[in-house]
Amino acid sequence: MKIAVAVSGGADSLASLLALGEAGHEVLALHGVFLPEDDGRAVAGLMLSCARLGVPLHCVDLSQEFERRVVAPFVREYLEGHTPNPCARCNAGVKFGLLLDRALSFGADALATGHYASAGEHPTYGWALSRGVDPVKDQSYFLSLVPGERLRKAVFPLAASHKAEVRAGLDARGEVPPLPEESQEICFVPGDDYRAFLANRAADFPGAALPGGGPAVLPNGQQVGTHNGLWRYTIGQRRGLGIAHAEPLYVLDKDMARNTLLVAPGEALLVESCVAGEVNILVDPALWPQAVLVQTRYRERAKPARVSLAGGVLSVRFDERQVRPAPGQVATVYDASGVVLAGAVVANAL
């Protein structure tokens, strides 16, 4: 099997390339350049690594499409008061969209990545995307918006690996990745400071402007303080509000029309249900179990729930009240064994 391996310059993709080559597959390395200001370290290091391994390397400039499909929507969603998930968007539109297309154009049968997830034949569902075995690094959540027909051409060599094993394996082979440091949470946001990034980028969008400060109010309308711009806050946030109150306050919601930040004690954050759109179905709903698990944040356990589909909308009712998910976040539906049944984008919570 001829497999293109998406190589970023990090440890996980290098380990994937080595594992597939050692398994006897014909491999080629495919590096997507997503950022125009790329410093070239990854490409230079990958050229040396691939030459040493005897693996052909193809570099593909996708920076303009990455800007259009990932970065610009990220900024726009924040301007609209949402909390977007750019990694999920990138996987769906760029990595398993444009990069997969390029891999196929080079004659590859599939595209492999260093994601900690599993995909393949399943005794009940026929085919399934599932959690990787490393519960800390599992990235199936970020893959849940990728269409099934795309994921069927994906290979995840690290599905059964733990991060520590990957590092140890590279050390044993004497391989040092060109970018040995762990990648930051959002690759295009320097220092993971999304507020500074938005402040720099908002001017690039004609007719758009970052809103200034305004009132912070309780659900009953009582003003208890002020905010410094709604785009600086996320639902559920506690730190950095700068509001003195008898009990800790959290961000409950953002009223964009009135430029008002709604805050409340933690109990008010709990909701029974949420609805999500842009539903990406990965398993026939007729096969879904009645009781499922729904995850609405990456660093969060999936919670027991009941779900229904109607008119392209996923309705979720949690067994127990949960912290309100923010519009723009991904809601991923799992069965009890860790199979991804569907992914969707949160619209609101009730």
Side-chain angles (χ1 to χ4, degrees):
M1 187 175 185
K2 185 174 182 179
I3 302 176
V5 184
V7 289
S8 63
D12 297 333
S13 58
L14 178 58
S16 298
L17 179 68
L18 290 168
L20 291 172
E22 291 170 359
H25 295 285
E26 179 185 355
V27 295
L28 63 91
L30 189 59
H31 177 67
V33 178
F34 296 155
L35 302 176
E37 62 274 18
D38 192 308
D39 63 9
R41 282 189 305 148
V43 173
L46 286 169
M47 290 177 66
L48 292 174
S49 295
C50 290
R52 184 174 64 255
L53 296 171
V55 174
L57 171 66
H58 300 274
C59 294
V60 182
D61 185 358
L62 297 176
S63 58
Q64 291 186 356
E65 282 298 315
F66 185 77
E67 167 69 26
R68 185 175 71 84
R69 296 183 183 220
V70 179
V71 181
F74 174 85
V75 177
R76 282 196 297 267
E77 284 201 61
Y78 262 108
L79 292 175
E80 294 169 1
H82 297 168
T83 303
N85 189 314
C87 296
R89 296 289 190 189
C90 178
N91 284 329
V94 180
K95 288 182 181 175
F96 292 100
L98 300 174
L99 198 63
L100 172 58
D101 287 342
R102 196 60 64 93
L104 299 177
S105 75
F106 288 130
D109 301 301
L111 176 68
T113 68
H115 285 98
Y116 289 80
S118 175
E121 298 302 316
H122 190 277
T124 302
Y125 305 130
W127 175 93
L129 170 70
S130 305
R131 291 190 184 277
V133 301
D134 188 336
V136 176
K137 291 294 294 182
D138 169 58
Q139 294 168 309
S140 58
Y141 175 78
F142 291 119
L143 295 166
S144 64
L145 297 184
V146 181
E149 63 270 18
R150 290 274 161 174
L151 287 172
R152 288 174 184 268
K153 293 185 180 297
V155 176
F156 302 117
L158 306 185
S161 301
H162 286 74
K163 182 69 176 185
E165 296 170 341
V166 169
R167 291 184 179 131
L170 290 178
D171 290 343
R173 293 171 175 81
E175 294 288 344
V176 178
L179 302 178
E181 66 274 11
E182 283 290 302
S183 59
Q184 59 190 38
E185 190 167 340
I186 303 176
C187 68
F188 57 86
V189 176
D192 285 338
D193 187 349
Y194 80 90
R195 294 176 180 88
F197 177 79
L198 291 173
N200 290 329
R201 287 302 310 274
D204 296 341
F205 294 80
L210 292 173
V217 305
L218 296 172
N220 64 8
Q222 176 188 353
Q223 182 170 346
V224 290
T226 59
H227 67 80
N228 298 317
L230 296 179
W231 54 280
R232 297 179 182 273
Y233 303 86
T234 59
I235 290 176
Q237 178 180 334
R238 176 185 173 186
R239 296 180 181 275
L241 298 186
I243 300 173
H245 196 67
E247 55 185 318
L249 296 177
Y250 298 78
V251 174
L252 179 64
D253 208 345
K254 296 185 282 188
D255 187 334
M256 303 300 293
R258 295 178 174 83
N259 193 30
T260 298
L261 185 71
L262 302 178
V263 296
E267 178 70 17
L269 278 175
L270 301 179
V271 298
E272 297 178 344
S273 61
C274 69
V275 295
E278 300 183 55
V279 184
N280 180 48
I281 298 172
L282 294 178
V283 171
D284 184 349
L287 300 176
W288 292 9
Q290 187 175 23
V292 298
L293 299 167
V294 177
Q295 184 173 342
T296 56
R297 293 176 178 85
Y298 177 52
R299 298 296 183 188
E300 179 183 85
R301 294 181 61 185
K303 305 298 175 56
R306 308 288 173 126
V307 299
S308 62
L309 278 169
V313 174
L314 178 74
S315 297
V316 179
R317 179 164 291 278
F318 297 104
D319 289 3
E320 298 180 359
R321 292 196 300 164
Q322 304 298 324
V323 174
R324 175 191 299 264
Q329 290 177 320
V330 173
T332 302
V333 185
Y334 293 89
D335 74 1
S337 70
V339 169
V340 178
L341 305 175
V345 179
V346 174
N348 60 56
L350 307 171

